[in-house]
Amino acid sequence: IHFNSTWSDTFWSKQFVSILIWSMFYITYIYFYISTLDKHLRWVTNETDDQVVFGQQVFSIMLFLSGICAIVAGPIVDAFGMKFGLMVMSVLSLFTSICSMLKVYKVDISATMIGFILNRFFFFTMCPRLIVTI
């Protein structure tokens, strides 16, 4: 895409449509995890309410503090580029998915949630940069 292209050309370009579809699936994944966190924790803990509430509180604090991940995500993307950042996101997605299938409470409230938060922040760090590169 050239700088003198029209908005219509940009919006219908393969690059923009690819980023749009990827973002739609990724945002759906993020909000599905967040909206079903209580059900997931109930499955992991065998319906133990105290552990579910504690897990939700831990996740809320981690989500609130996810801005600290900019200290990690920004310099990694700047130093190694977008392809490396996308590979990190892929590895984090795989790691988070595997950990979330384990029915171990401590793994779920530590590794799964940390992987999810880092992955989420990598997405929000890189998405504007991907759009600018179109």
Side-chain angles (χ1 to χ4, degrees):
I1 296 177
H2 304 291
F3 287 110
N4 58 0
S5 64
T6 64
W7 282 100
S8 177
D9 293 341
T10 302
F11 286 136
W12 295 110
S13 68
K14 287 188 264 185
Q15 298 93 334
F16 185 81
V17 171
S18 298
I19 291 172
L20 180 67
I21 291 170
W22 176 67
S23 297
M24 287 174 18
F25 280 109
Y26 194 77
I27 294 294
T28 302
Y29 156 72
I30 287 173
Y31 289 103
F32 178 77
Y33 181 82
I34 291 172
S35 67
T36 60
L37 181 64
D38 61 328
K39 293 173 185 75
H40 177 73
L41 289 171
R42 286 192 189 288
W43 172 73
V44 170
T45 63
N46 295 321
E47 304 287 327
T48 307
D49 287 333
D50 292 341
Q51 289 179 321
V52 171
V53 170
F54 179 73
Q56 288 177 320
Q57 290 172 344
V58 167
F59 185 74
S60 297
I61 291 168
M62 292 172 84
L63 201 59
F64 178 70
L65 296 175
S66 68
I68 295 172
C69 296
I71 297 168
V72 176
I76 288 174
V77 172
D78 289 341
F80 299 106
M82 294 299 292
K83 287 182 183 178
F84 182 77
L86 290 171
M87 288 184 344
V88 168
M89 278 187 65
S90 297
V91 169
L92 283 170
S93 292
L94 181 63
F95 173 77
T96 303
S97 297
I98 290 171
C99 288
S100 70
M101 290 187 298
L102 302 175
K103 201 169 178 179
V104 179
Y105 182 68
K106 290 184 180 181
V107 169
D108 199 59
I109 66 167
S110 57
T112 304
M113 291 182 185
I114 290 170
F116 177 82
I117 296 296
L118 285 173
N119 197 357
R120 179 178 180 264
F121 204 82
F122 259 96
F123 173 77
F124 287 118
T125 300
M126 291 189 326
C127 200
R129 195 166 186 185
L130 282 170
I131 292 171
V132 168
T133 58
I134 293 178

